[in-house]
Amino acid sequence: MMKIKFSKIVLTAALAVSLYSCREEMVQQDSAENKVELAEATVKNGRLYFLNKESLTFAYDKIKNAEDEVIADYVDSKNIISLRPIVTEKNENKIGKQLKERIAILKSNKRYMTYLESKGIQSKTENTEEIVDDIDDLEEIIGDDAYAAFLDSRAEIQVANKIYKYTDVGLFIVEDTRYDELSQYLAINNISDDLLYPTNKTVQTNYIQSKPAGLETNVADGITYFNNRSITEEEDDPNGGGDTYYPPYNPPTNPPTEDLATIINNLKIGEVRKPKLGNLFGTTWVTDDVYESKRRVKVKFYSQNLYLVYTVGSKVKHQYKGWPGTWRKENADKLGIGVNSISWTFSHSMNMSAPVGVPKQAYWFGSNMYTSTNGISFTFEQNQNIPSLPFASNLDGVIQFVTDFTSLTEEQLDKLFWENAWKQANELLEGQNKKLNRVAFIVDSYGSTYIRYYDFSQIEDNQDVIERVFDWGIATPQFTYTFGGGVGNGVSITSYKFDFLRPKATAVKMYGIAKKNGAWHGVKLDAK
């Protein structure tokens, strides 16, 4: 079963040594049929190089949830110039020197310089901070921090004999001996060869629309192409913003002495950065609250199929803008995250009012299950299977509703949870001394199933980042949901197969808050 990890994994010193110092060590991994050779990454022509996909999987799985210092140490040990480097207080000077090298490489790129000249902005290469801002904006394309650091400044990585190049029209794959052919292909088709300057919008749109989404496609002899979402799927509102209904904050735990509820309820809804380009590989939504000119609270949700890795998660960061204009993490006195809902909508494999034998409402708290056919009287059973969500083992509760509606809006789902399901859950747990911090809410309608994840406010002292990673890594994010929880619950079983990276729709309502220098700062991310 797939896993979800809700807290950061801090690698121990021993693990860090095994990962970073044994560059030439070969590991044998046994399976039922063969042995897969794993090797530590090396560098070829400025790119991170992995012997095979299994070696990439091994390295990425050990790194992706680690502290920034661990990821930065790993990448810095390879001496590559990352697409979007992870900046720490320790490596800030090194990143500054690499930035100068990167600008020199850009100046030698005739296509990049021609673009600047066409816009009358040739002096941009002399403005370090402006280029740093452009690099920072690449987060909207490659949402995962670790994987963006694995890619070189050309957005490339090599696995076996193939080079994977990410562009603003999608991913191109070519054998290393034919890389020059890919460069020629991009030039002939007027596709940007560096993410720091864009492909013409018409060229970009036409190219993406001419290729199937979610499939690897041959586009030329020896060159294949992939994207995860067509540009036409971009929402009508380019600035995003979900429904206006935002439930009052009622923390499931005892609040601190400060009026945290008022602070959170008064947070502004931030402007969401989610350009069309960011949807090439899935969804990345970012907003922030900048204060004191050099500090910010950044809130991010990302759900991406980057072909070599799958990544879904939400994150709150507190950062400081140091030299030379790069944002690096900085401890806040207090840092908090709250997920009012992450919502996925999936179309049914069949249309019907309700799966046969499934109760109208069901609540699971551990192995205890409460079911109701009318939402008023409940039947209690013990030792029952929790529904087959990939992250069920890390939840405090799962709530399942079956409705007769054709479909539901985000606002209707909000009200159904807060005014019905949430109240009923707390009534069922009254006197049991149990807390609901992380909850899944599944609603089935005639034509769709809605899966929502709630993660109520967590405040940590002296922290710089809090992350919730839905941890599929390299594995497929597909799963089968069984209504009623499966065998042993006394109800008929109906199952739907869902893919979290290809939902019909996604919506997010979350916030991040930080206390620094005696004052609270923060922002709400509200997007769909």
Side-chain angles (χ1 to χ4, degrees):
M1 177 177 283
M2 293 171 283
K3 295 181 179 179
I4 180 172
K5 298 179 183 177
F6 292 95
S7 59
K8 296 182 301 178
I9 300 175
V10 180
L11 297 183
T12 63
L15 178 57
V17 169
S18 70
L19 274 172
Y20 312 137
S21 63
C22 302
R23 298 188 182 187
E24 305 302 325
E25 180 180 357
M26 309 296 281
V27 183
Q28 298 293 326
Q29 177 176 295
D30 292 303
S31 66
E33 299 182 4
N34 56 20
K35 292 183 177 180
V36 177
E37 189 175 50
L38 301 181
E40 178 60 29
T42 57
V43 177
K44 282 191 175 183
N45 297 318
R47 305 178 193 93
L48 212 54
Y49 167 80
F50 292 92
L51 180 69
N52 46 40
K53 288 185 179 179
E54 290 79 10
S55 296
L56 171 60
T57 301
F58 179 79
Y60 179 71
D61 282 348
K62 296 296 183 182
I63 288 294
K64 60 190 175 186
N65 297 326
E67 292 274 6
D68 278 2
E69 287 86 355
V70 175
I71 302 174
D73 285 349
Y74 177 81
V75 175
D76 290 347
S77 72
K78 308 301 180 185
N79 287 317
I80 68 167
I81 301 177
S82 293
L83 174 68
R84 186 165 52 81
I86 291 179
V87 185
T88 66
E89 197 168 4
K90 175 182 175 182
N91 75 353
E92 195 173 46
N93 288 332
K94 180 174 184 176
I95 297 302
K97 293 177 182 178
Q98 287 185 343
L99 179 61
K100 293 180 180 179
E101 293 180 47
R102 188 166 184 174
I103 292 174
I105 294 172
L106 285 172
K107 287 181 177 180
S108 68
N109 185 332
K110 293 181 179 179
R111 296 186 62 198
Y112 176 76
M113 295 305 295
T114 299
Y115 168 78
L116 295 187
E117 290 172 9
S118 70
K119 299 296 181 181
I121 52 175
Q122 300 94 314
S123 62
K124 186 171 187 175
T125 54
E126 309 303 325
N127 189 332
T128 302
E129 192 159 335
E130 190 172 346
I131 291 180
V132 168
D133 287 341
D134 289 345
I135 294 171
D136 190 52
D137 289 342
L138 295 180
E139 183 169 22
E140 298 160 16
I141 304 171
I142 309 295
D144 180 69
D145 293 339
Y147 192 67
F150 273 29
L151 300 177
D152 73 357
S153 63
R154 299 162 294 185
E156 297 173 2
I157 192 169
Q158 183 170 346
V159 179
N161 68 332
K162 290 186 177 181
I163 293 172
Y164 297 78
K165 182 177 183 64
Y166 294 86
T167 75
D168 64 357
V169 303
L171 170 67
F172 292 93
I173 307 167
V174 68
E175 290 186 5
D176 54 354
T177 57
R178 305 182 69 174
Y179 180 77
D180 288 344
E181 295 175 37
L182 173 59
S183 298
Q184 293 171 11
Y185 177 86
L186 296 179
I188 291 171
N189 288 277
N190 296 313
I191 296 170
S192 169
D193 63 352
D194 194 298
L195 287 174
L196 291 181
Y197 76 98
T199 299
N200 174 274
K201 185 60 64 178
T202 300
V203 173
Q204 182 193 56
T205 301
N206 290 341
Y207 193 91
I208 294 171
Q209 289 180 343
S210 69
K211 304 295 184 292
L215 298 173
E216 185 179 346
T217 307
N218 288 320
V219 294
D221 182 26
I223 301 173
T224 57
Y225 167 85
F226 172 84
N227 77 66
N228 192 51
R229 186 176 298 176
S230 172
I231 201 166
T232 58
E233 289 182 87
E234 175 63 19
E235 299 82 354
D236 292 332
D237 177 7
N239 292 318
D243 296 298
T244 56
Y245 181 83
Y246 225 89
Y249 171 74
N250 293 301
T253 58
N254 292 327
T257 55
E258 295 181 90
D259 189 1
L260 189 60
T262 299
I263 294 169
I264 293 171
N265 289 333
N266 289 336
L267 290 177
K268 67 178 182 180
I269 297 177
E271 181 179 351
V272 183
R273 301 196 299 273
K274 53 171 197 174
K276 294 181 179 180
L277 181 57
N279 277 341
L280 277 174
F281 304 109
T283 299
T284 301
W285 295 329
V286 182
T287 191
D288 57 26
D289 176 27
V290 178
Y291 69 99
E292 296 178 3
S293 75
K294 289 187 176 293
R295 289 188 167 90
R296 70 179 179 185
V297 180
K298 184 165 70 172
V299 182
K300 177 174 72 172
F301 170 80
Y302 53 95
S303 176
Q304 294 190 312
N305 178 356
L306 296 164
Y307 189 84
L308 290 173
V309 301
Y310 302 96
T311 176
V312 183
S314 58
K315 181 181 293 188
V316 171
K317 286 184 177 182
H318 185 264
Q319 295 179 309
Y320 178 80
K321 195 171 190 177
W323 184 88
T326 52
W327 290 99
R328 60 171 170 79
K329 68 174 193 172
E330 180 192 51
N331 279 1
D333 301 331
K334 293 182 181 293
L335 188 68
I337 186 174
V339 179
N340 287 71
S341 68
I342 297 175
S343 178
W344 295 272
T345 302
F346 300 97
S347 297
H348 274 172
S349 55
M350 63 185 79
N351 289 340
M352 56 185 174
S353 295
V356 177
V358 175
K360 291 288 185 181
Q361 295 184 22
Y363 296 75
W364 287 266
F365 309 114
S367 61
N368 293 337
M369 181 178 75
Y370 299 81
T371 59
S372 176
T373 58
N374 56 18
I376 299 173
S377 57
F378 285 83
T379 300
F380 173 68
E381 297 179 71
Q382 292 180 306
N383 301 317
Q384 299 301 304
N385 297 323
I386 198 166
S388 51
L389 286 168
F391 44 86
S393 62
N394 289 283
L395 295 169
D396 300 310
V398 176
I399 304 171
Q400 174 186 291
F401 273 33
V402 176
T403 73
D404 293 324
F405 293 108
T406 302
S407 62
L408 292 158
T409 66
E410 287 298 311
E411 187 169 10
Q412 287 172 325
L413 288 167
D414 277 335
K415 292 183 177 180
L416 189 62
F417 178 78
W418 293 104
E419 297 177 8
N420 292 275
W422 180 243
K423 289 182 178 179
Q424 184 63 64
N426 283 280
E427 288 179 12
L428 292 172
L429 290 177
E430 188 174 0
Q432 296 187 36
N433 195 30
K434 293 183 178 180
K435 299 172 182 177
L436 297 177
N437 290 309
R438 301 186 182 108
V439 179
F441 184 41
I442 295 90
V443 180
D444 189 62
S445 70
Y446 181 80
S448 299
T449 296
Y450 307 88
I451 297 179
R452 285 187 152 210
Y453 165 69
Y454 296 82
D455 191 334
F456 300 105
S457 178
Q458 177 178 344
I459 303 295
E460 297 183 11
D461 295 332
N462 300 315
Q463 188 56 272
D464 52 75
V465 62
I466 302 177
E467 186 169 18
R468 301 289 180 260
V469 178
F470 295 76
D471 191 4
W472 288 283
I474 308 296
T476 174
Q478 296 179 351
F479 78 105
T480 300
Y481 181 78
T482 303
F483 282 89
V487 178
N489 288 334
V491 297
S492 299
I493 299 172
T494 297
S495 299
Y496 297 137
K497 188 173 182 179
F498 299 133
D499 184 344
F500 270 102
L501 290 176
R502 300 294 296 177
K504 179 181 177 182
T506 304
V508 175
K509 295 178 186 290
M510 61 177 291
Y511 62 83
I513 56 173
K515 187 176 184 181
K516 187 72 175 179
N517 299 330
W520 284 97
H521 307 274
V523 66
K524 292 175 181 175
L525 172 61
D526 190 346
K528 64 178 180 179

